[in-house]
Amino acid sequence: MGNSQSSSNSSSHGGTPSSSNRSRSSTTVGFSDQVVDGGSLEPLSFIYASSIADYSRPTVHKLIVERKLAPFHLGLNDFEEDWDLEQLLAALQDGERQASQNLRDAHQAAIVAVQEAEAAQLTIPPATRKSKEGAAAVASAVMHRERLAEVIKHRDKRGGGGLHGVSKTEQARQYQSRAIECPICFLYYPPPLVHTRCCDQPICTECFVQIKRAEPDATHLESEPAACPYCMEPNFGCVYVREPVRPRIQTTQNSAGSSGFSSTEDATAPVAKPKPRRKSFAHTEKEVVTTDQLHPDWEAKLEAVKATVARRAARRVVFRQVGDRLIPVGITSGRSGDGGNTTMSTTQLPPGFAAQVAAAMDASSASGNSRASRSSRRRNQEVAAYLQTMGVDVGQDLEEMMVEEAMRLSMLEDEERQKKEREEKEKAAKANGEAVAGSAQVAETSAQGASRSTLETPNTPHTTAALLSDAISAPMGSASLLDPSPNHPPVSLPSVPVLTPSPAPPASSNHASPPAESQLSPPSAPPRLPSLDLTNPSTLPASIPSRLDSNATPTPASAPTLQDSTPLAVTPSASSVTSSVSALSSVEDPLAGSAGYEQLEDDGEDDDDASVRERMAATSVSA
Amino acid sequence: MAASALPKRIIKETQRLIADSPPGISAVPHDDNLRYFDVLISGPEGSPFEGGLFKLELFLPEEYPMSPPKVRFLTKLYHPNIDKLGRICLDILKDKWSPALQIRTVLLSVQALLSAPNPDDPLANDVAAHWKENEQDAMRVSKEWTAKYAK
Amino acid sequence: MAKVPRSFRLLEELEKGEKGIGDGTCSYGLADGDDILMEKWNGTIIGPGHSVHENRIYSLNIVCDASYPDQPPSITFLTRINLPCVHPTTGKVDPSKLPVLSAWKHNYTLETVLVELRRDMATPTNRKLPQPVEGTNF
């Protein structure tokens, strides 16, 4: 907030020492009442209450305090430039009422979700993989519900959604005659919002922190950084440019000191830059806040999914042909190292993995406070719940979860440490050569601009855009596609290539070359044959025959005789099993039969994996 | 559930859609579910779908606009990127979704897809094969289906 | 919360079914890939181990009418089976005798139903019931 009144707020309320932020760095605690530039460190509109705090709250707090990210403001449902203070106050009140309802709706939904998860749990036999999944779902639902309850409680305690120490009038004035509509949520906010690093379009902080990489899943083990919602430039990031308000003098004297944020804030924020800002920033520039910074867990999530897939691949059912049936005679295990076939190579844990894990665990426990174990347990549940939503099996044991968690923590810490080092360096550099940096920036800018223009025609959005331009008659301005609100100036063409092919390709070329990227893989693949539906298709056919009786017919061929409409699993059989299997099963309580069965499925760890589908023997694998 | 507030964005999009609907497109929310729209799209001129009026349904999931709307044709049509159940193979409905897109832009894209079938990335394999082997004949079937079903 | 319309809910279930659910001991798919209303479905249950149903494959018809998922689907066994909740001559599942159907919740799915039916086959009382000749149909 550029006006003097709000900057005085920031100095009176902005003094929270960094340590207090740090100590509450768990994502589940630590509401901040701090006001920065007339805004809040916490969301005020709760537009996305159903995915509340999906971002790293400590990171967001820190970035706002450092003036690298615009603070959260209350979004107004409506706004007119000529509104007087009274109308603005009414709009503010309306916004708060809406925010409150958003929260309560989300809480209500969370209560229902818990009930449903619990009800679903009741129908599932205990001590099975399903039941563990169910338990994780319940835990996750409960956690979300509690989280919302906490937010509501905190909000009620403060008597609503107002800003601590800021009068309603002061708050309302920030909007007067200049509020900006966020093109994503359509609510109005006081300027300046953060702007996209690439195409310089505004986005409110509440929407910005929601944008992140697509979640990885077992069928898509890759992760790409989120793209700009407006121009589809990869590596989405935003820049917060405060309005020029203060002379820079006061900051220089401080910049050597490293206590708190007050010194860093002015040193890092490009305060003196007036609008219009330089054209674009590279995502690596220090002014830019990327979505990965706000969601530092993306890598851990990806690794967790990969690990699960690898583990799944490590366990394959080995079949024996008996009559016309396939009888599972065992499950290969990457852990036991019995190997003997080609699948093993993919499943072995990398050398040094154990040491890494041990180190990670040490690191996390060394830095842990009394809260650590609780929050890490909670995060285990989060991970489990998360994995479950990915369609990944959660039947992993606690130990595995702990390992994943430890890896995650260590990665986070490492990241944090590196970032701090970087900041320290930058600060030092800044103090040394303010002027030099300035000119360097300009140079960088033009280089950026140049390189960007070559990158600016990404295939995919371009294609859709081309389709569109084709279909839309000429008078229909392409900018209108984005449907900018009346108050919002029509977005300029180059900035919205999502729908507007900026270099306007000739219409004919659209037909001539429909690039493959323009279409997606089908929403659902046609039913695949189970034997091909493997994480690693090459492995099963290789492994099965090696264990088959010599007179067996080739199993992969005999397995899938399915009709499209009935994705039927392959004949299972656990009755005529080999001696080791029956020995095992005879030990079991017959009543636990199906449970023992499920138990095994547990080990098999999955799901759409055909080998698992075909599997059913009761061999205890990795015990 | 029904009592929960509709996000302002959805309200505004709906208002703007109704007040100023794109040419050849209409979208009207259900009375009992304001996230669920009945959609009509007229077949683009110059395409084998010209003259047809196609019915679709569109649903804005809880996560919208952070997740794409769900859209499906209810009218049968012969198109390589639309399957027998009316499911649509379009990048922006999947991994190329952007929260800056809207109902309006999605429906315009779907309409555009009718003009620009892409048999190289098919959803309906048999149709795509037909399209590649004999585009003229495939378009003839599209026209027939349009006349038969898209009234 | 947004209420997912029947058709998109069923499309979700269809996609999940096409990918293969759970461990593959239960599966389902549309009976007619052309059926835009997605009313008729096929289901398959592989009999649970350590029971008389072991190794058997049961085919079922599932009907999701316009009231689904507010109301449960109706289920009919095609493969003959002796189970208390299944009508001895028609193969129709009596909703009142299967808790997942009698206490239906809209977040239950076709998968839930099939998994529950399979579980019902494995209960102490049901897992030893004499069964019709394998592979015969109602």
Side-chain angles (χ1 to χ4, degrees), chain A residues 58-268:
Chain A
T59 307
V60 166
H61 286 189
K62 186 164 168 287
L63 290 169
I64 292 175
V65 171
E66 289 174 351
R67 310 303 201 275
K68 289 175 105 176
L69 185 59
F72 294 97
H73 290 281
L74 185 72
L76 304 185
N77 281 330
D78 297 292
F79 171 77
E80 298 294 340
E81 275 181 33
D82 57 2
W83 275 2
D84 60 23
L85 202 56
E86 213 164 300
Q87 286 167 305
L88 288 168
L89 282 167
L92 214 51
Q93 201 176 2
D94 179 51
E96 279 182 23
R97 188 198 46 72
Q98 176 81 57
S100 167
Q101 188 178 353
N102 291 347
L103 265 181
R104 274 160 227 278
D105 285 348
H107 187 234
Q108 195 54 46
I111 290 170
V112 173
V114 170
Q115 289 165 350
E116 287 182 346
E118 282 170 349
Q121 176 75 342
L122 290 179
T123 71
I124 297 167
T128 62
R129 177 175 53 105
K130 280 272 172 202
S131 85
K132 280 192 238 164
E133 274 178 23
V138 172
S140 151
V142 168
M143 193 177 68
H144 182 59
R145 185 193 63 195
E146 291 312 306
R147 164 103 193 111
L148 281 161
E150 260 181 283
V151 175
I152 290 171
K153 201 171 126 201
H154 177 78
R155 203 165 176 273
D156 288 349
K157 208 167 64 193
R158 290 189 317 167
L163 290 166
H164 185 71
V166 179
S167 74
K168 291 279 183 235
T169 313
E170 277 178 300
Q171 196 184 352
R173 271 194 222 284
Q174 300 180 40
Y175 297 81
Q176 199 153 26
S177 76
R178 54 195 220 122
I180 292 172
E181 188 186 42
C182 169
I184 306 293
C185 64
F186 291 20
L187 300 181
Y188 295 89
Y189 299 90
L193 306 181
V194 294
H195 281 234
T196 58
R197 69 169 183 86
C198 37
C199 55
D200 197 16
Q201 292 299 306
I203 182 172
C204 78
T205 302
E206 225 164 301
C207 287
F208 178 45
V209 300
Q210 285 293 317
I211 294 177
K212 58 179 178 187
R213 290 171 181 250
E215 303 282 9
D217 65 38
T219 56
H220 188 71
L221 287 178
E222 281 165 35
S223 179
E224 282 149 26
C228 170
Y230 307 116
C231 73
M232 302 307 277
E233 171 96 355
N235 291 305
F236 181 43
C238 282
V239 178
Y240 179 42
V241 182
R242 287 199 286 164
E243 291 170 341
V245 274
R246 281 184 279 179
R248 307 291 317 265
I249 312 148
Q250 59 192 78
T251 60
T252 41
Q253 68 201 23
N254 271 4
S255 57
S258 61
S259 64
F261 289 106
S262 46
S263 61
T264 48
E265 57 189 47
D266 289 315
T268 49

